[in-house]
Amino acid sequence: MITSNEKLPLKVLLVEDEQKIAEFVCSGLQQRGFVVEHCQNGHRGLELAERGGHDLIVLDIMLPGRDGLSILKALRSRHIMTPVILLTARTELGDRLAGLELGADDYLAKPFFVEELAARLHALRRRALGTSHDVMQFGKLCLDLVSRELRHGQQTVELTAREFTLLEYLMRSAGQVFTRSQILEHVWGYDFDPTTNVVDVCIKRIRAKLASLAGGQDLSAHIESVRGIGYRFQP
Ligand code: CA
C-alpha cells in the first residue's frame, strides 16, 4: 500500500528564545525521531518559516525581534499554512485566544512535558494530512481520503460516509480478516443488535461500486467473505 504524504522523520521549526526550554525541546524531540531546526529570534523565525521545508512549527510568543503572534499573522496572510503550535505562559490567555484566531492549530502552556508536545505534533500532522491530498492505492485502484472517492484509472465512484469508513478500515489492514462485530464497532461506533445485517448490506453496496468500475474486470473480488468470520480486503 502506498499512502502519499507520509514523510518521516517529521521536520520541526522551533522558534524559542529561552535557552533552557529550547534545549529540552530540541533534545526531547530529537530523541523521539523529529528533526529540529531551532532559532531564537523572531525575524529569523519568520524567514525560516517562509523558506519552508518544515512539517510543523513550534512558536513561542514572547520573542526578541518579532513576536510569535505577528509571525503567525504574517505566515497565514501569505498563505503559508504549515501547522503551528504556540507556546504560551499560563497567564497569557488573551494571547492564546488571539493566536487561535490568527490561525494557530494548537497551543501548549508552559511548563509542559516534551511527551505532550510530541503527541500534539503528531496529532497536528495527522490532521494536516487529512486535509491534504491523501490516497490509498492498490495498483490502479485508489481510495481518495479527501474526496472519499474510489477510483480505478479514469473512472470514479462516490462512496457514502459508512461505505468509505468501512472500506478504509479494511484497506488499512489489507489481508487481515475482520469480524462483523469489529466492523460494526469501528464503522457504526456502538453496539448493534448482533443479528443486524447492516455490515453485509454495506459490503454488498461497496462490492457493487467496485464492480461498476473497470469494465470487464471484476474488482468486487477485492472484498473477500471469510466464512463464519467476516471480511477482508485482498489487494
Ligand atoms: Ca520567550
Side-chain angles (χ1 to χ4, degrees):
M1 181 183 85
I2 304 159
T3 303
S4 65
N5 292 326
E6 282 287 332
K7 275 190 292 173
L8 286 169
L10 293 180
K11 295 194 189 102
V12 175
L13 172 63
L14 170 67
V15 190
E16 167 63 81
D17 60 316
E18 281 166 76
Q19 191 72 22
K20 269 191 173 169
I21 296 180
E23 276 170 19
F24 118 93
V25 169
C26 281
S27 69
L29 290 183
Q30 281 159 2
Q31 279 167 24
R32 287 168 179 77
F34 292 84
V35 172
V36 186
E37 182 171 18
H38 168 232
C39 75
Q40 298 181 317
N41 176 284
H43 290 301
R44 180 76 181 136
L46 178 58
E47 214 175 278
L48 291 173
E50 282 185 323
R51 207 180 57 198
H54 310 100
D55 298 303
L56 302 147
I57 299 172
V58 179
L59 195 55
D60 186 27
I61 291 187
M62 299 288 281
L63 289 165
R66 182 169 194 150
D67 72 86
L69 292 181
S70 105
I71 295 174
L72 177 62
K73 193 173 176 185
L75 289 175
R76 294 302 186 244
S77 72
R78 291 166 208 178
H79 303 288
I80 297 170
M81 304 312 280
T82 313
V84 168
I85 181 160
L86 287 173
L87 299 181
T88 69
R90 290 242 174 254
T91 51
E92 294 170 335
L93 177 64
D95 283 349
R96 229 176 279 168
L97 297 176
L100 293 173
E101 292 239 308
L102 288 173
D105 300 273
D106 202 356
Y107 65 85
L108 201 52
K110 295 176 187 177
F112 54 86
F113 292 105
V114 81
E115 289 83 352
E116 178 163 17
L117 177 60
R120 301 268 191 115
L121 288 171
H122 280 300
L124 279 187
R125 178 66 182 157
R126 281 196 298 273
R127 217 199 292 167
L129 282 181
T131 57
S132 65
H133 208 73
D134 207 9
V135 298
M136 285 204 272
Q137 187 135 22
F138 300 87
K140 274 185 160 182
L141 187 65
C142 167
L143 181 66
D144 191 314
L145 303 181
V146 181
S147 67
R148 305 193 156 200
E149 285 169 347
L150 188 59
R151 285 196 293 268
H152 187 271
Q154 300 298 314
Q155 288 176 289
T156 296
V157 64
E158 263 181 53
L159 299 173
T160 66
R162 298 267 198 231
E163 291 161 5
F164 170 82
T165 309
L166 203 170
L167 185 56
E168 188 205 6
Y169 183 51
L170 297 184
M171 277 182 164
R172 283 218 184 264
S173 306
Q176 188 183 326
V177 183
F178 292 95
T179 64
R180 280 177 183 76
S181 47
Q182 283 175 313
I183 295 173
L184 260 181
E185 202 183 315
H186 181 84
V187 180
W188 281 263
Y190 49 93
D191 292 331
F192 254 83
D193 171 1
T195 61
T196 179
N197 66 345
V198 288
V199 172
D200 309 86
V201 171
C202 192
I203 290 275
K204 202 173 161 187
R205 286 200 310 256
I206 297 171
R207 278 184 174 146
K209 289 188 177 180
L210 278 164
S212 75
L213 293 166
Q217 204 184 338
D218 192 6
L219 295 176
S220 65
H222 275 303
I223 297 190
E224 262 183 19
S225 310
V226 181
R227 251 178 64 180
I229 306 177
Y231 296 99
R232 77 170 145 214
F233 179 82
Q234 204 57 276

